[in-house]
């Protein structure tokens, strides 16, 4: 029963540690995008914002399916993007929705931020010129040529993506139950083993002492039985000797010499008070059961 209880305690401890690990050490899931449930139905501990009067705010205002998000962040929007980024760094808000180029730049500049989700509400940058301006075709052709030869991408890497960053990437592999999480179970097992060894030593010592007492008791009992048997034999012999002497004194032969005419005679009374004479010296003496009276 003791070891069964110890096994049940081990199983309960393992189950408790496993449940605590799965609940408490769960990796924090990042926002998946604009359709994330935390953005569509935000809780009290989760807030997000954008910039007032920006193209992003107008985009949310125009989209009917995003009206809930617009009403949620309408009173939380900032005047500038710098204020929103600073509050995001100080955990006053949990998400900031803004232009992707600026967000990627901030995420590359510091390891405190990450960009997440797919791009939405795509729009292009443009250089505004007067209608019919003769420079319009030349500028458009030069921009297209810069895209084709990779110059625009090089600018992105140098000024926005900041490829010299040394931020450590987060491990996205699933968490595993390690030795530190099960340290309590192993300590419990080690304690049980030590306690079991101690109990076994006590049991062995107790068993040896008990066997020694049993042997001593058996020896004493056998010695006492032998002594008692010898005493009983002696008593029996003494009793048999006393009975034999008493019987001999009671049932012995009584011989009385009588001188009559020179012949020994034996005379006694029998049970009928009659006298029996034997005048012959060669006759065998009669056995007398009782000798109440004797006469010549």
């Amino acid at each position: 029963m003791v070891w069964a209880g110890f096994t049940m305690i081990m199983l309960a401890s393992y189950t408790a540690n496993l449940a605590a690990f799965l609940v408490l050490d769960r990796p924090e899931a990042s926002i998946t995008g604009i359709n994330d449930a935390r953005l569509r139905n935000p809780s009290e501990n989760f807030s997000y914002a954008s910039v007032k009067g920006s193209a992003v705010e107008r985009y949310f205002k125009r989209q009917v399916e995003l009206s809930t998000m617009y009403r949620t962040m309408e009173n939380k929007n900032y005047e500038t993007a710098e204020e929103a980024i600073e509050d995001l760094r100080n955990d006053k808000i949990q998400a900031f929705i803004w232009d992707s180029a600026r967000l990627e730049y901030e995420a590359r500049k510091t390891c405190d931020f990450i960009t997440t989700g797919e791009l939405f509400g795509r729009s292009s940058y443009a250089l505004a010129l007067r209608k019919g301006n003769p420079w319009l075709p030349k500028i458009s052709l030069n921009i297209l040529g810069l895209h084709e030869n990779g110059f625009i991408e090089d600018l992105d890497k140098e000024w926005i993506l900041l490829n010299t960053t040394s931020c450590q990437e987060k491990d996205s592999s699933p968490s595993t139950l390690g030795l530190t999480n099960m340290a309590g179970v192993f300590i419990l097992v080690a304690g049980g083993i030590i306690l079991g060894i101690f109990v076994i030593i006590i049991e062995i010592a107790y068993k040896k002492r008990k066997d020694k007492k049993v042997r001593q008791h058996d020896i004493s009992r056998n010695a006492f039985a032998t002594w008692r048997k010898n005493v009983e034999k002696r008593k029996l012999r003494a009793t048999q000797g006393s009975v034999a002497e008493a019987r001999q004194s009671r049932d012995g032969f009584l011989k009385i010499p009588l001188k009559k005419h020179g012949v020994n005679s034996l005379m006694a009374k029998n049970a009928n008070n009659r006298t029996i004479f034997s005048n012959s010296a060669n006759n065998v003496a009669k056995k007398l059961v009782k000798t109440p009276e004797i006469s010549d």
Side-chain angles (χ1 to χ4, degrees):
M1 292 298 293
V2 175
W3 295 113
F6 179 74
T7 304
M8 292 298 296
I9 293 174
M10 283 187 56
L11 292 176
S13 178
Y14 173 78
T15 305
N17 286 326
L18 181 61
F21 172 78
L22 294 177
V23 173
L24 300 179
D25 292 346
R26 182 181 297 175
E28 184 179 358
S30 60
I31 299 174
T32 58
I34 197 66
N35 295 320
D36 193 279
R38 286 171 288 183
L39 297 178
R40 296 301 181 99
N41 300 305
S43 61
E44 296 181 357
N45 298 326
F46 189 89
S47 61
Y48 55 94
S50 184
V51 178
K52 293 180 180 179
S54 63
V56 176
E57 185 183 35
R58 290 193 297 270
Y59 175 81
F60 279 93
K61 188 176 181 179
R62 290 195 306 265
Q63 301 296 327
V64 178
E65 65 274 10
L66 301 177
S67 59
T68 303
M69 295 179 62
Y70 173 75
R71 289 193 300 269
T72 301
M73 66 180 184
E74 182 179 7
N75 298 326
K76 299 178 182 178
N77 289 337
Y78 293 85
E79 295 294 336
T80 60
E82 286 75 14
E83 294 179 0
I85 292 171
E86 187 65 24
D87 285 352
L88 181 63
R89 182 179 286 108
N90 296 328
D91 294 332
K92 293 182 179 180
I93 59 175
Q94 282 69 45
F96 176 54
I97 304 174
W98 190 235
D99 183 70
S100 62
R102 178 64 186 277
L103 296 181
E104 288 177 358
Y105 171 75
E106 294 291 340
R108 294 285 181 170
K109 187 172 64 174
T110 176
C111 298
D112 297 333
F113 304 137
I114 58 170
T115 58
T116 182
E118 297 180 357
L119 298 177
F120 65 94
R122 291 176 178 271
S123 60
S124 301
Y125 289 103
L127 297 176
L129 297 174
R130 184 178 295 179
K131 188 176 181 181
N133 193 312
W135 291 96
L136 182 61
K138 293 182 180 180
I139 293 175
S140 298
L141 290 175
N142 281 290
I143 293 174
L144 183 60
L146 293 175
H147 271 291
E148 290 177 353
N149 61 22
F151 180 77
I152 301 296
E153 293 180 0
D154 293 338
L155 291 178
D156 288 339
K157 292 179 181 179
E158 182 177 357
W159 298 102
I160 297 178
L161 300 180
L162 300 176
N163 55 2
T164 58
T165 183
S166 60
C167 294
Q168 185 178 2
E169 295 183 359
K170 293 184 178 181
D171 188 11
S172 60
S173 59
S175 301
T176 57
L177 193 64
L179 181 62
T180 55
N181 303 105
M182 297 300 298
V185 176
F186 285 107
I187 292 174
L188 186 63
V189 171
I193 293 174
I194 295 173
L195 180 62
I197 294 173
F198 182 70
V199 172
I200 289 173
I201 293 173
I202 293 176
E203 288 181 354
I204 292 174
Y206 176 76
K207 186 67 168 56
K208 288 183 178 180
R209 185 173 181 180
K210 185 178 180 180
D211 292 342
K212 185 177 180 180
K213 287 185 177 181
V214 170
R215 287 194 299 269
Q216 292 178 353
H217 179 71
D218 292 340
I219 293 172
S220 301
R221 185 175 60 185
N222 293 333
F224 178 76
T226 304
W227 175 80
R228 185 176 180 180
K229 188 175 181 181
N230 293 332
V231 170
E232 289 178 352
K233 286 182 178 179
R234 291 176 183 176
K235 288 183 179 181
L236 182 60
R237 290 175 182 174
T239 304
Q240 290 177 353
S242 300
V243 171
E245 292 176 358
R247 184 177 297 175
Q248 184 176 1
S249 63
R250 186 178 64 245
D251 299 333
F253 294 95
L254 182 60
K255 297 181 179 178
I256 300 175
L258 298 176
K259 293 181 179 180
K260 188 177 181 179
H261 303 290
V263 180
N264 292 331
S265 299
L266 181 63
M267 180 178 64
K269 286 186 179 181
N270 60 3
N272 295 323
N273 294 324
R274 290 183 296 181
T275 303
I276 301 174
F277 296 97
S278 176
N279 295 322
S280 176
N282 297 324
N283 291 338
V284 179
K286 300 291 184 179
K287 183 179 179 180
L288 303 180
V289 179
K290 292 183 181 182
T291 57
E293 294 180 0
I294 301 175
S295 59
D296 293 332

